[in-house]
């Protein structure tokens, strides 16, 4: 009887949604540990050697995301039901999709389908894979929004994210000190050594040092997660009331800043600086008198946390204080190559996922396999592959989220028991992403940062929807899935 009751309760709507939350947290954890299976396809070696940018992989995070979606949008329940308590005959998934009002997503989907149709004569398996990946990102966005709208998940999510980013920062620091990998290959760590070609390095005093990777494919990806971790830590710090909480969060902030430092990502350091400036600037503008003590304390802690790494790693950081190094010159080269693609294919682009394959075709010099990479700019890359209209659709979609955040903050439409620091943190994170997008491609090309971007878009959509309806707590009735 006990087991029967347990399993019956497990499949009630509220418990099923709790299961979805568990898998969503496992999905978040799996983003920090990129365990995957790489399918043996010819596209993976299309550039002359194996390339992550042309390979097809199944990640553990894909599996956890699918399970999250399954338990969230099961046709037998698992989400709050429409008024009346029963589902339409077509099932929950059909009902949910019928509620979509975000036409930007529909236009993006239609544009991607049009690109597949018009490129059909030269279609690659890679095109289909990138199309499916876009669909997965859109569903991840909608699922995140729904869970944040319907459940109490926000603080748990941010706390878990900060814990995971701190753990990754510790790994990165350890790797930099040891100057080798830590034997964590089974959970995604790269094989690292100053002598291995292709490993990201800096050169200081004629000595080569590897940069901190954590378990990510490149230090720049890690830097994006650490930037978010830093912004989350200051958000939690300004809202914590107990001494032990402040102590733990301050320690996490310090660790994340040092971790970001040993990635030696210039864009990451710039994005973190701008994000912190936005967060505290908004906090000061809101009510300096009320938050004066919290602001001054937080700024003092951040200053100390930044000063120590700067003094310790100053000789190494000086090697990155240039825009004429090889990495900067390569970014200029990739941008020029992308412009050639855009000029020749301004409407539909060269095809989704194909810019790397065509890189040699648009280059005036012979490229070695390791030199063939996507253009290091999110919007140039999207224009090269999806055409200028595709790029504009994405910009429009991002702008709508930014606009909703700004309008919500400006009008202060939150109910009385709500605080604005969540929205300051989200706005600071969004601008940090925009900064990072100008200098790298990973928000467009690689699993972990692709998901990071669309998850936070989903969080923004959820928070601004709640602001719009002035609902202080998760609603009990049905609602729209997307914006």
């Amino acid at each position: 009887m006990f087991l029967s009751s347990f399993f019956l309760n497990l499949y009630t709507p509220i418990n099923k949604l709790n299961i979805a939350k568990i898998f969503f947290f496992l999905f978040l954890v799996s983003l920090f540990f990129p365990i995957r299976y790489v399918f043996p396809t010819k596209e993976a070696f299309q550039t002359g050697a194996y390339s992550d940018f042309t390979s097809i992989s199944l990640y553990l995070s894909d599996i956890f995301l699918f399970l999250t979606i399954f338990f969230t949008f099961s046709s037998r329940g698992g989400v709050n039901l429409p008024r009346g308590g029963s589902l339409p005959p077509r099932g929950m998934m059909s009902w949910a999709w019928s509620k979509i009002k975000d036409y930007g997503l529909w236009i993006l989907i239609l544009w991607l389908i049009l690109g597949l149709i018009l490129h059909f004569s030269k279609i690659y398996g890679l095109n289909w894979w990138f199309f499916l990946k876009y669909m997965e990102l859109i569903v991840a966005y909608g699922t995140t929004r729904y869970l944040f709208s319907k459940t109490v998940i926000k603080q748990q999510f941010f706390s878990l994210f900060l814990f995971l980013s701190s753990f990754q920062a510790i790994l990165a620091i350890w790797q930099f000190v040891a100057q080798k990998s830590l034997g964590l290959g089974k959970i995604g760590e790269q094989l690292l050594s100053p002598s291995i070609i292709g490993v990201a390095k800096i050169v200081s005093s004629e000595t080569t040092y590897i940069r901190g990777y954590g378990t990510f494919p490149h230090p720049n990806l890690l830097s994006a997660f650490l930037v978010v971790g830093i912004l989350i830590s200051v958000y939690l710090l300004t809202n914590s009331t107990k001494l032990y909480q402040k102590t733990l969060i301050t320690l996490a902030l310090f660790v994340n800043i040092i971790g970001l430092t040993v990635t030696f990502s210039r864009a990451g350091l710039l994005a973190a600086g701008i994000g912190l400036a936005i967060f505290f600037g908004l906090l000061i503008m809101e009510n300096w008198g009320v938050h004066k003590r919290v602001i001054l304390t937080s700024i003092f802690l951040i200053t100390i946390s930044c000063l120590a790494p700067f003094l310790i790693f100053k000789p190494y950081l000086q090697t990155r204080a240039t825009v004429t190094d090889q990495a900067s010159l390569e970014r200029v080269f990739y941008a020029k190559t992308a412009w050639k693609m855009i000029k020749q294919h301004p409407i539909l682009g060269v095809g989704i996922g194909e810019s790397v394959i065509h890189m040699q075709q648009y280059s005036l010099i012979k490229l070695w396999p390791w030199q063939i990479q996507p253009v290091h700019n999110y919007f140039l890359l999207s224009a090269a592959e999806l055409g200028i209209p595709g790029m504009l659709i994405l910009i429009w979609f991002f702008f709508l989220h930014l606009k909703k955040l700004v309008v919500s903050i400006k009008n202060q439409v939150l109910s009385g028991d709500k605080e604005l620091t969540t929205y300051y943190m989200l706005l600071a994170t969004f601008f940090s992403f925009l900064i990072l997008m100008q200098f790298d491609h990973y928000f467009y090309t690689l699993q972990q940062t692709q998901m990071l971007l669309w998850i936070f878009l989903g969080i923004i959509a959820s928070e601004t929807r709640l602001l719009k309806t002035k609902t202080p707590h998760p609603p009990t009735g049905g609602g729209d899935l997307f914006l």
Side-chain angles (χ1 to χ4, degrees):
M1 285 292 294
F2 173 77
L3 287 177
S4 299
S5 299
F6 172 79
F7 284 110
L8 284 173
N9 290 331
L10 183 66
Y11 280 91
T12 61
I14 186 170
N15 283 334
K16 215 166 186 184
L17 197 56
N18 286 337
I19 296 174
K21 286 173 57 178
I22 293 172
F23 280 117
F24 184 75
F25 288 135
L26 290 173
F27 164 65
L28 175 62
V29 172
S30 64
L31 290 181
F32 285 82
F33 304 99
I35 301 170
R36 62 173 177 166
Y37 173 77
V38 181
F39 293 97
T41 62
K42 63 180 181 180
E43 286 87 359
F45 298 88
Q46 195 110 6
T47 62
Y50 172 79
S51 173
D52 272 336
F53 308 118
T54 59
S55 65
I56 297 176
S57 302
L58 177 66
Y59 284 85
L60 182 61
S61 56
D62 294 323
I63 297 173
F64 283 134
L65 178 60
F66 172 80
L67 291 170
T68 303
I69 296 166
F70 175 80
F71 283 102
T72 303
F73 302 117
S74 170
S75 61
R76 293 178 64 89
V79 295
N80 295 320
L81 303 179
R83 191 175 300 276
S86 61
L87 290 173
R90 50 191 166 164
M92 176 59 73
M93 183 62 85
S94 299
W95 172 78
W97 275 95
S98 71
K99 294 291 185 179
I100 295 176
K101 291 186 178 181
D102 187 354
Y103 300 114
L105 284 179
W106 281 116
I107 294 173
L108 176 60
I109 293 171
L110 291 174
W111 187 258
L112 293 171
I113 293 174
L114 180 63
L116 284 178
I117 293 173
L118 296 181
H119 284 101
F120 190 80
S121 60
K122 55 176 183 178
I123 205 77
Y124 291 102
L126 203 60
N127 300 129
W128 290 107
W129 178 251
F130 269 83
F131 174 79
L132 291 175
K133 182 57 66 176
Y134 258 107
M135 297 303 101
E136 182 185 23
L137 294 174
I138 291 171
V139 173
Y141 163 85
T143 303
T144 301
R145 175 179 176 172
Y146 198 90
L147 287 176
F148 272 75
S149 299
K150 299 295 184 182
T151 67
V152 181
I153 194 175
K154 182 172 65 178
Q155 292 301 118
Q156 297 169 327
F157 176 88
F158 290 145
S159 298
L160 178 59
F161 194 105
L162 181 57
F163 172 80
L164 293 168
S165 67
S166 300
F167 179 76
Q168 288 290 332
I170 291 171
L171 292 183
I173 296 166
W174 192 354
Q175 288 166 343
F176 182 75
V177 172
Q179 284 298 297
K180 63 179 181 180
S181 49
L182 307 177
L184 303 175
K186 290 186 177 180
I187 58 174
E189 184 188 31
Q190 304 293 303
L191 184 61
L192 305 175
S193 171
S195 61
I196 297 178
I197 297 175
V199 171
K201 314 176 189 75
I202 60 169
V203 178
S204 177
S205 301
E206 300 182 355
T207 303
T208 301
Y209 299 92
I210 63 169
R211 297 160 58 186
Y213 272 68
T215 58
F216 286 84
H218 194 277
N220 290 348
L221 274 78
L222 172 60
S223 73
F225 279 80
L226 294 181
V227 167
V228 177
I230 290 169
L231 294 174
I232 289 176
S233 65
V234 296
Y235 156 70
L236 294 175
L237 187 62
T238 56
N239 287 281
S240 61
T241 56
K242 299 179 180 179
L243 180 60
Y244 82 92
Q245 291 176 335
K246 291 182 179 293
T247 302
L248 290 175
I249 295 170
T250 300
L251 180 61
L253 171 64
F254 182 67
V255 168
N256 275 261
I257 290 176
I258 295 181
L260 178 61
T261 303
V262 300
T263 66
F264 298 100
S265 169
R266 290 168 290 193
L269 292 169
L270 176 64
I274 291 176
L276 289 171
I278 291 173
F279 180 86
F280 285 109
L282 291 170
L283 202 60
I284 291 170
M285 290 171 59
E286 176 199 346
N287 198 327
W288 166 256
V290 173
H291 298 293
K292 180 178 179 180
R293 184 176 178 181
V294 173
I295 294 171
L296 291 177
T297 302
S298 300
I299 291 177
F300 173 76
L301 292 173
I302 291 172
T303 301
I304 296 299
S305 299
C306 292
L307 186 60
F310 176 77
L311 294 176
I312 295 171
F313 298 102
K314 182 179 178 181
Y316 309 107
L317 289 169
Q318 288 176 333
T319 66
R320 303 289 285 171
T322 176
V323 293
T324 59
D325 60 316
Q326 186 62 29
S328 300
L329 296 176
E330 287 177 352
R331 279 169 166 76
V332 174
F333 166 77
Y334 294 134
K336 291 180 179 179
T337 306
W339 272 116
K340 293 179 182 178
M341 296 182 188
I342 295 170
K343 289 178 182 178
Q344 190 164 338
H345 303 277
I347 305 302
L348 293 172
V350 296
I352 184 171
E354 287 193 36
S355 63
V356 172
I357 295 175
H358 296 293
M359 186 67 68
Q360 182 63 74
Q361 176 185 344
Y362 292 89
S363 172
L364 297 177
I365 61 174
K366 171 66 178 178
L367 299 176
W368 295 102
W370 60 84
Q371 294 176 308
I372 301 178
Q373 300 181 31
V375 57
H376 285 52
N377 182 289
Y378 184 95
F379 300 105
L380 280 179
L381 180 55
S382 60
E385 294 195 349
L386 305 178
I388 295 175
M391 177 193 68
L392 293 176
I393 292 170
L394 287 170
I395 292 175
W396 176 37
F397 183 68
F398 296 155
F399 173 76
L400 289 178
H401 288 72
L402 176 61
K403 179 183 177 182
K404 286 179 177 292
L405 265 178
V406 172
V407 170
S408 298
I409 293 171
K410 181 179 178 181
N411 296 334
Q412 295 191 6
V413 293
L414 291 168
S415 53
D417 61 344
K418 283 279 189 178
E419 42 76 28
L420 287 169
T421 51
T422 300
Y423 309 97
Y424 296 163
M425 184 272 291
L426 291 174
L427 186 64
T429 300
F430 189 85
F431 271 103
S432 296
F433 286 170
L434 291 178
I435 296 296
L436 294 171
M437 286 177 177
Q438 308 309 310
F439 300 99
D440 227 317
H441 56 76
Y442 48 69
F443 282 112
Y444 187 95
T445 56
L446 297 175
Q447 170 88 356
Q448 294 76 33
T449 33
Q450 285 176 326
M451 291 295 179
L452 179 66
L453 171 63
W454 287 80
I455 284 173
F456 268 83
L457 287 172
I459 296 173
I460 291 171
S462 170
E463 292 298 320
T464 53
R465 186 188 68 85
L466 292 175
L467 284 171
K468 181 179 179 181
T469 57
K470 300 184 181 182
T471 306
H473 302 291
T476 56
D480 298 331
L481 177 59
F482 293 158
L483 282 170

